[in-house]
Amino acid sequence: MTTPAPALNVENLVTELSLKRGVLRPVDDVSFHVHKRETLGIVGESGSGKSMTCLSVLRLLPKPGGRIASGKVVVAGTDLTQLTERELARDWRGSRVSMVTQDPMTSLNPVYTVGDQVGAPLVFHRIVHGARAARTRAADVLARVRIPSADKRLDDYPHQFSGGMRQRVVSAMAIACEPEVMIADEPTSNLDVTIQVKMIDLYRKIQEETGVAIVLITHDMGVAASICDRIAVMYAGRIVESGPSRSLFRAPSHPYTQALLASIPKLGRKAKRLTALGGQPPDLLDPPRGCRFAPRCPHAMPKCDAYPPDFHLGKGHRAACWLNEDAARAA
Ligand code: SF4
């Protein structure tokens, strides 16, 4: 039986930002994929490159200075890096690949009604024709993200919604055109815990109903554990460990992943002192030649002066750390 092609396949992606001080690579040789009905979590500290990776998928890079230097972003057999800006905006961005941002107010325009804003992508991408059809469809989509009395809220403005409801509206905009891939960048980080749980539940339901492949960016390992099928851990612009959630949480194999997990409290366990990850990520204008985590790693050794390859540990679990060399041989 042949495995279906991933909904999104990112191969060896390199993104460069030209700054006055030089050129940095916030995304440096990053590869990952996500299938239909699957959720991939990209986790890491702030500045690890996870958001820039996802902005690169849709080529929403800072201008001037940001560019995709190399690599592929393949959706439905099309390499998005090869499209013109016009083709990308017309046929892909917001329709077949959509994005939910961290702060709903950056996606919502305060002077337009919610109904107009949810309906706009439907008209732009010619999913529906005419204002009336857009309005009807917008009410359907708002109901799908569980906005109570959706048809009565179409003429309300964003400020008339609570934070959690605004995030639902943004999610409605993201799923309105029934995309194959939805990228959600820290969608729950501004919400309190009970609303977070509801949003996670909502994403699960949306995925069940539509089959959308989700890439979830988060710095919250608890959120990642609760919703993601697979996890990719990013550090200093590279993926240092990836694998099925269960395997990665049970046996984290990169010292950076271990440090991230040691820094979160565990329910039901006797309180132990949480371990803070010391030090700072490297300056990406002048990254270390070898393992980028070496300056912070308690296990660093002379061999780490060379960048470790991805060691395959079985069942899709891999880690770029020399400590895994023997385990990979045995796997
Ligand atoms: Fe630490 Fe070396 Fe592994 Fe890097 S390769 S995480 S420095 S042990």
Side-chain angles (χ1 to χ4, degrees):
M1 204 172 74
T2 52
T3 319
L8 167 68
N9 192 23
V10 173
E11 284 176 40
N12 307 108
L13 189 65
V14 177
T15 300
E16 289 185 346
L17 292 181
S18 297
L19 308 177
K20 276 191 190 144
R21 287 172 55 218
V23 175
L24 68 80
R25 290 181 162 187
V27 181
D28 194 358
D29 198 15
V30 164
S31 300
F32 63 87
H33 64 271
V34 59
H35 283 275
K36 187 174 174 167
R37 260 179 236 289
E38 187 185 42
T39 301
L40 170 76
I42 302 186
V43 303
E45 292 167 289
S46 298
S48 57
K50 50 193 195 307
S51 291
M52 198 55 84
T53 298
C54 292
L55 291 172
S56 302
V57 167
L58 285 170
R59 238 193 289 153
L60 293 168
L61 297 170
K63 293 251 180 307
R67 72 177 192 110
I68 306 283
S70 59
K72 290 183 179 178
V73 174
V74 179
V75 180
T78 300
D79 181 0
L80 304 191
T81 65
Q82 299 303 308
L83 301 178
T84 62
E85 176 57 30
R86 192 158 175 267
E87 288 168 333
L88 190 61
R90 187 190 60 203
D91 300 330
W92 298 87
R93 198 186 282 146
S95 52
R96 299 183 72 171
V97 183
S98 68
M99 189 148 187
V100 179
T101 54
Q102 181 175 1
D103 177 4
M105 286 315 270
T106 59
S107 303
L108 292 170
N109 189 326
V111 301
Y112 288 103
T113 65
V114 157
D116 284 346
Q117 295 187 66
V118 176
L122 293 162
V123 175
F124 178 79
H125 293 294
R126 301 176 188 201
I127 310 275
V128 296
H129 300 280
R132 186 185 290 243
R135 201 175 156 80
T136 308
R137 183 74 173 261
D140 287 349
V141 182
L142 287 170
R144 191 182 263 185
V145 297
R146 281 60 173 179
I147 301 269
S149 311
D151 53 339
K152 295 192 179 65
R153 307 286 322 252
L154 290 172
D155 296 320
D156 287 348
Y157 289 85
H159 73 271
Q160 293 171 283
F161 288 75
S162 66
M165 285 294 152
R166 280 200 289 263
Q167 193 56 276
R168 282 172 191 250
V169 172
V170 172
S171 303
M173 289 163 69
I175 63 163
C177 299
E178 304 201 340
E180 284 129 278
V181 180
M182 180 168 85
I183 298 168
D185 187 358
E186 305 272 11
T188 60
S189 64
N190 285 340
L191 306 174
D192 67 46
V193 177
T194 48
I195 308 290
Q196 271 191 18
V197 172
K198 285 186 180 163
M199 283 305 297
I200 288 169
D201 199 37
L202 175 66
Y203 284 129
R204 272 204 208 102
K205 291 205 169 97
I206 288 173
Q207 191 171 58
E208 270 168 34
E209 288 166 13
T210 65
V212 65
I214 299 178
V215 179
L216 176 76
I217 301 169
T218 181
H219 64 273
D220 186 329
M221 297 297 267
V223 168
S226 64
I227 188 172
C228 298
D229 302 295
R230 286 187 299 112
I231 306 277
V233 182
M234 274 195 89
Y235 183 75
R238 290 187 171 168
I239 291 178
V240 295
E241 182 165 6
S242 61
S245 299
R246 189 181 281 230
S247 145
L248 190 135
F249 281 103
R250 196 180 324 132
S253 300
H254 192 287
Y256 178 59
T257 315
Q258 291 162 1
L260 284 181
L261 290 173
S263 65
I264 55 171
K266 292 187 182 59
L267 261 184
R269 294 240 180 116
K270 254 200 167 165
K272 259 201 327 188
R273 183 178 282 272
L274 295 177
T275 319
L277 177 54
Q280 294 292 328
D283 179 357
L284 290 183
L285 282 169
D286 185 22
R289 251 181 343 114
C291 175
R292 293 181 174 183
F293 190 57
R296 304 168 83 184
C297 180
H299 309 289
M301 49 191 158
K303 198 173 199 174
C304 306
D305 287 344
Y307 195 85
D310 255 350
F311 290 108
H312 294 236
L313 305 170
K315 298 191 175 148
H317 190 166
R318 53 186 70 183
C321 167
W322 288 113
L323 294 174
N324 295 287
E325 200 171 10
D326 291 340
R329 253 187 235 122

